[in-house]
Structure formats: structure tokens, C-alpha cells
Amino acid sequence: MPYRRYFLCFSVVMSAALLLTPASARAESVEGLSEFVQQAMKQYGVPGAAVVVVHDDKVVFLEGFGVRRHGSPQPVDQQTLFMMASVTKTFTAALVGTFVDEEKFGWDDHVIDHLPQFVLHDSYAARMVTPRDLLAHRSGLPAFTGDLLEALGYDRDEILRRIRYIEPQWSFREKAGYSNPGYLAAGMLAARVGDATWDDLVRERLFKPLGMKSSGVSHRDWQSSTNFAAAHVVAPDGSLEVVPWDNHDPMGPAGSITSNAVDMAQWLRMQLNEGEVDGRRVLSAEAVREMHKPAMVETPTFAELPPIDQRSGFSYSMGWGVYHYNGFEIVEKGGARAGMRSVAVLVPEKRLGVAVFANRNLTVLPEAVRAFVLEHYLGRASYDVQARIQQADEQIQKMFAVEPQPKGARPKASLPLAKYAGAYENELYGRFAIEHKAGKLSWRAGPAKYGAGVEHAGYDNFLLHFPKGRIALPEPVSFLIDDQGRPSKMISETFGTFTRVASETE
């Protein structure tokens, strides 16, 4: 074999080996990270995790930990698939950026000019909202409202149509509101302009040039693999329980991507190289810088963990969140689905990136690991950041714990339970059927007939429970009894007011 050809073949083999070689075997390593991850997994009760660290365009740490499924011996490795959840939003923002690069539209064009079926409750916002507004959560849509539409079984077109019924919580561009339906609209804008589905556009414009061969965009993509992490939730008795993977396809642009540590290394490298990987340009440097630029100030909540705090600053950029640590700007996006957590972090000035995935719900492990990496490269915090993350974890566990109902007899309902059964409707979510069977109530809604039990909480107050695995506390509802002694409305703080349209027998 000629020397040049031999050298080229050797280089290709060594490049592949570098990507798949554990960090401990490389020149640069993140000292103590493996040990920290293993300790943190025990501390936070996480069965399996994967971590990748990129520095100066090199993969310096790439490792799987623990097991894919609690009680099973199959290990998590570098190729194990996880749900990226809302880290998907960084891909949707980048996809929109590819069309901005092609001058098909601009970040500050009016969405309705390119996606005429996009309508908001506020007519002024509907006319003026831009891709930047949607991607930076500043369209006026209230945080998390409309998320249930996906579980109810509505498709993307129908969810987009129903966005017009989401009443704004504040004025256009006044405050940030983390909106998954807003991201669906951004993805459908790209689909409309690109004359293809969001799914196909992500595959062709992002996955393919980046060599992200194992990543998927739909619920069926990961099902063709045998190497995927199981989703774990905490049962009421404190044990871990495996639940089915969420099907996030209806709201895909907000959270349906699946990936692994190997593929996400490519995503981090592209972001840190301002749109280019291995000589292939995916996005312009201008588009990447624009996506990382703060666009809407936000107050940190329980979802933003140390070193994010009231003094770090926190803003939404397009697809990401931005804050500061030890004088460096950090660009970060976390994700959560039933049974999994993920986080992707960039420090552009240091050309540093880290992604962490865990197969358990409501765990702070990804943020604990990313904080360890930040301290390794950027210097220690002025306080014990891990202790604060642990405190935040304790607060989160309390926040999402289902409080036991008070012992003793509850005040009786005003009516026999069967009288509350019937169909109740509102414009946004459609029809909720309250059903009575064998002395108990349950609810079903949407094309998917989604629902669970309804628990009496006293007088005309009840709790709507959700199917196992959903990250949600029971939803309190109250029934309004009319002057004829019949339930006429069902009122929910989260889902709004539903008007009774039929009794159970009609």
C-alpha cells in the first residue's frame, strides 16, 4: 500500500478510535469525573448515565455508567440512546437557522407571513410574532400551557390550530413563558418553508452532515435499536419503576429527539466551532452566535440549578438558556421527560462542551455532573455548589411528592358521584368525559382517550390523576353546581374552565 494511502487509512482509524476510547486512555482527561459520576449516581439513585465532554474540538471524556434498566445487567455505554427531551429545542432553533442562512426568512420576520395558519389569541401578537420570539419564549404564551394537547392525542396540525385558544398570561414580549406549543410552531414554520416534515429536515440538514447516525426524531426511530435506556420513575413507596418511553411526536420540535453520547459529541463540537465540524459547514458562524445571544431575561426557577442563581443572571436565547459563572458566559439547555433527564452545556470562550443523560425522572444528576466539569475547567465556585444542588434536589422531591390525604372522613360531596359524570368541554383541550363505574370516577379526553382516576377531595372538589409515569401532580378541579342542583362547569387552575355539554347518559 502506498505510504500516503496507508497514512490516510491509519488517520481515519485513529480518529474513530479516539471517539470511542474512554477518557482515561487519552492525553487530556477530566480528573476525578468518573468517580464523581459513580458517587452521584448512588447519591441520587440513578440506574444509568452517560457523559461526554468536548474541549478544544476534542472528545476528552466519553463514558457510560450503570445499567440501562434497574435490576438488569445490560450496561449503559457510549452508544446507549436516551430521550433528549427539551434539548431538542436546540436542534429546532438550529434548523430554523439553516433557513435564515439561506435567506428564506429572517430571525425577525413575521411568522404569519410564512405560516399563515399560525394564530394567537392576541391578534397583535399573532401579527407581529417572529421566529426569535418563539425560540426565546417571548411570544406571550404562558409557561407550559397547552402541553397536555400532546398526551390527549392531537396531531401537529390540530395542536397548531388550538394554539389560538391559549390565553396570554402577560403582554407580548413583556415576560418569558416557556412554551412547548411555541416550539411546535417554530418547527412547523421550518417545515412549511422547507416543504418537508420537521423530522426529515432535521435528519437531512443536521444529523446527516454531522454524522449523527444513531440519533432519531420520532418515537419509532429508537424502537429499531436494542441499545436504549429504560425510563425510571419513583413509585409512591420510593422504589424505582420502569415506565414506557413518552411518545413526543405530536410536539416533536419541542422534545422528541433521541440520541447518545457519541452523537451528541458532534452536536457540541459544531456549536463550539460556530457551525462547522470536520470541514463541513452546517450553520453560519453568524447564525450560531445569534442563537447563543441572550434575547429574553428570565428569573431562575426550581428548574435552573446552581451555579445558576439570582446573581448569575439568566436569559433565554434561541433554543438555549444563558448565564454567567466565574466571568464566563455559559450556554445551557436541560430536558426532562417521564423517566429521563438530560443537559447540554457550552462555554464558547473556552471551547468547552458537556452533555449528560440520566435514566430517572426528577434527578439533579445531570446538573451535578455539569457543575463538576465547570469547576474543573473554570475554577471553583465561591460556595459549595454540590451542596446547593443537593439542597435543590431535596426541595424538588418535596415539591413533586404526592401528599397523603388527611386521615378521617372527608366532607361528603354535594351530590352522588354519578351525578358528576358527563361531558365537559373547553376550546383549548376539547371534551373531557367524567365517567362513573363501580362507585368510582375517572376521566378520559382527546383522540387518545387519555386519562386516569378521579379522587374525591371534599365537597365538590376532586383530583384528576394522570397515567403512571407522567411528571405531574394530581390536578385539583372543582365542580360548579347550578341552581337546579346539577354540575354545570368543571374548573381547573391549570386547564381552565370546562362547560358541561352532556350527562353520562346522553
Side-chain angles (χ1 to χ4, degrees), residues 128-140:
M128 300 303 294
V129 74
T130 67
R132 193 187 305 271
D133 293 322
L134 294 175
L135 297 172
H137 301 294
R138 62 185 204 183
S139 67

Side-chain angles (χ1 to χ4, degrees), residues 43-305:
Q43 178 179 0
Y44 296 117
V46 175
V51 181
V52 58
V53 180
V54 171
H55 186 224
D56 284 338
D57 203 31
K58 297 182 179 67
V59 179
V60 299
F61 191 96
L62 181 65
E63 198 167 336
F65 300 87
V67 294
R68 302 176 208 167
R69 184 186 182 102
H70 180 64
S72 170
Q74 292 179 313
V76 170
D77 60 31
Q78 303 148 349
Q79 301 280 356
T80 301
L81 292 173
F82 289 80
M83 288 186 277
M84 295 296 97
S86 282
V87 175
T88 298
K89 291 179 173 66
T90 67
F91 289 83
T92 295
L95 177 62
V96 171
T98 66
F99 290 102
V100 174
D101 281 343
E102 295 172 2
E103 299 184 350
K104 298 293 180 63
F105 55 78
W107 295 116
D108 299 307
D109 280 4
H110 297 142
V111 171
I112 199 169
D113 291 342
H114 304 277
L115 186 68
Q117 60 268 50
F118 176 69
V119 179
L120 292 174
H121 192 277
D122 180 341
S123 59
Y124 176 78
R127 183 71 193 107
M128 300 303 294
V129 74
T130 67
R132 193 187 305 271
D133 293 322
L134 294 175
L135 297 172
H137 301 294
R138 62 185 204 183
S139 67
L141 290 170
F144 303 108
T145 302
D147 288 3
L148 187 65
L149 291 169
E150 175 181 79
L152 297 184
Y154 295 111
D155 63 20
R156 290 179 190 173
D157 287 333
E158 182 61 17
I159 295 174
L160 183 67
R161 187 189 73 81
R162 287 175 181 265
I163 287 176
R164 70 192 66 194
Y165 301 123
I166 300 178
E167 296 186 17
Q169 191 171 348
W170 37 71
S171 299
F172 178 49
R173 296 179 184 163
E174 179 188 359
K175 291 184 179 181
Y178 191 94
S179 176
N180 288 306
Y183 261 79
L184 169 66
M188 295 189 74
L189 166 66
R192 174 69 179 255
V193 174
D195 194 26
T197 64
W198 171 85
D199 311 60
D200 287 343
L201 290 170
V202 169
R203 292 188 186 102
E204 288 300 314
R205 289 175 171 247
L206 301 178
F207 289 172
K208 188 174 180 179
L210 289 171
M212 298 178 67
K213 298 180 180 179
S214 298
S215 299
V217 292
S218 74
H219 194 62
R220 61 179 176 274
D221 287 346
W222 67 268
Q223 293 175 322
S224 63
S225 172
T226 58
N227 187 359
F228 59 89
H232 297 82
V233 300
V234 181
D237 63 2
S239 64
L240 286 181
E241 189 172 349
V242 174
V243 295
W245 272 36
D246 278 349
N247 183 345
H248 208 356
D249 288 359
M251 209 92 79
S256 69
I257 284 178
T258 58
S259 192
N260 58 28
V262 169
D263 280 7
M264 284 300 291
Q266 294 294 91
W267 186 243
L268 298 176
R269 290 178 63 211
M270 186 275 286
Q271 294 284 340
L272 294 167
N273 287 339
E274 293 193 325
E276 186 175 342
V277 170
D278 300 327
R280 297 185 300 274
R281 180 153 293 282
V282 180
L283 285 163
S284 69
E286 293 78 11
V288 174
R289 287 195 292 266
E290 201 69 19
M291 284 187 293
H292 295 172
K293 183 189 300 183
M296 188 66 189
V297 68
E298 171 64 310
T299 301
T301 68
F302 72 90
E304 285 76 46
L305 298 176

Side-chain angles (χ1 to χ4, degrees), residues 180-445:
N180 288 306
Y183 261 79
L184 169 66
M188 295 189 74
L189 166 66
R192 174 69 179 255
V193 174
D195 194 26
T197 64
W198 171 85
D199 311 60
D200 287 343
L201 290 170
V202 169
R203 292 188 186 102
E204 288 300 314
R205 289 175 171 247
L206 301 178
F207 289 172
K208 188 174 180 179
L210 289 171
M212 298 178 67
K213 298 180 180 179
S214 298
S215 299
V217 292
S218 74
H219 194 62
R220 61 179 176 274
D221 287 346
W222 67 268
Q223 293 175 322
S224 63
S225 172
T226 58
N227 187 359
F228 59 89
H232 297 82
V233 300
V234 181
D237 63 2
S239 64
L240 286 181
E241 189 172 349
V242 174
V243 295
W245 272 36
D246 278 349
N247 183 345
H248 208 356
D249 288 359
M251 209 92 79
S256 69
I257 284 178
T258 58
S259 192
N260 58 28
V262 169
D263 280 7
M264 284 300 291
Q266 294 294 91
W267 186 243
L268 298 176
R269 290 178 63 211
M270 186 275 286
Q271 294 284 340
L272 294 167
N273 287 339
E274 293 193 325
E276 186 175 342
V277 170
D278 300 327
R280 297 185 300 274
R281 180 153 293 282
V282 180
L283 285 163
S284 69
E286 293 78 11
V288 174
R289 287 195 292 266
E290 201 69 19
M291 284 187 293
H292 295 172
K293 183 189 300 183
M296 188 66 189
V297 68
E298 171 64 310
T299 301
T301 68
F302 72 90
E304 285 76 46
L305 298 176
I308 305 174
D309 59 24
Q310 299 298 326
R311 295 178 298 175
S312 68
F314 184 75
S315 298
Y316 287 125
S317 67
M318 291 188 287
W320 302 82
V322 183
Y323 62 98
H324 290 83
Y325 170 73
N326 279 356
F328 293 92
E329 187 173 73
I330 314 297
V331 181
E332 177 174 308
K333 185 71 192 85
R337 294 299 294 174
M340 290 197 190
R341 287 286 333 282
S342 61
V343 71
V345 186
L346 307 168
V347 189
E349 186 177 345
K350 293 286 286 186
R351 300 188 74 202
L352 171 67
V354 57
V356 187
F357 322 111
N359 60 352
R360 180 190 150 157
N361 72 326
L362 297 178
T363 179
V364 299
L365 176 90
E367 284 81 4
V369 174
R370 70 83 158 98
F372 181 96
V373 175
L374 291 178
E375 287 198 299
H376 176 85
Y377 282 98
L378 310 182
R380 298 294 297 273
S382 59
Y383 54 89
D384 189 338
V385 67
Q386 295 298 335
R388 288 199 184 177
I389 289 174
Q390 183 176 353
Q391 292 170 3
D393 174 69
E394 293 169 357
Q395 294 173 355
I396 290 170
Q397 302 309 320
K398 290 179 181 178
M399 184 183 305
F400 285 92
V402 178
E403 296 182 5
Q405 291 295 312
K407 294 182 179 180
R410 301 176 193 172
K412 291 183 178 180
S414 301
L415 305 170
L417 291 184
K419 294 291 185 180
Y420 296 94
Y424 300 78
E425 285 186 352
N426 76 8
E427 291 180 314
L428 177 57
Y429 295 104
R431 178 171 293 202
F432 274 45
I434 305 298
E435 301 171 348
H436 180 261
K437 186 177 181 180
K440 294 183 178 181
L441 295 176
S442 61
W443 68 280
R444 296 290 181 271

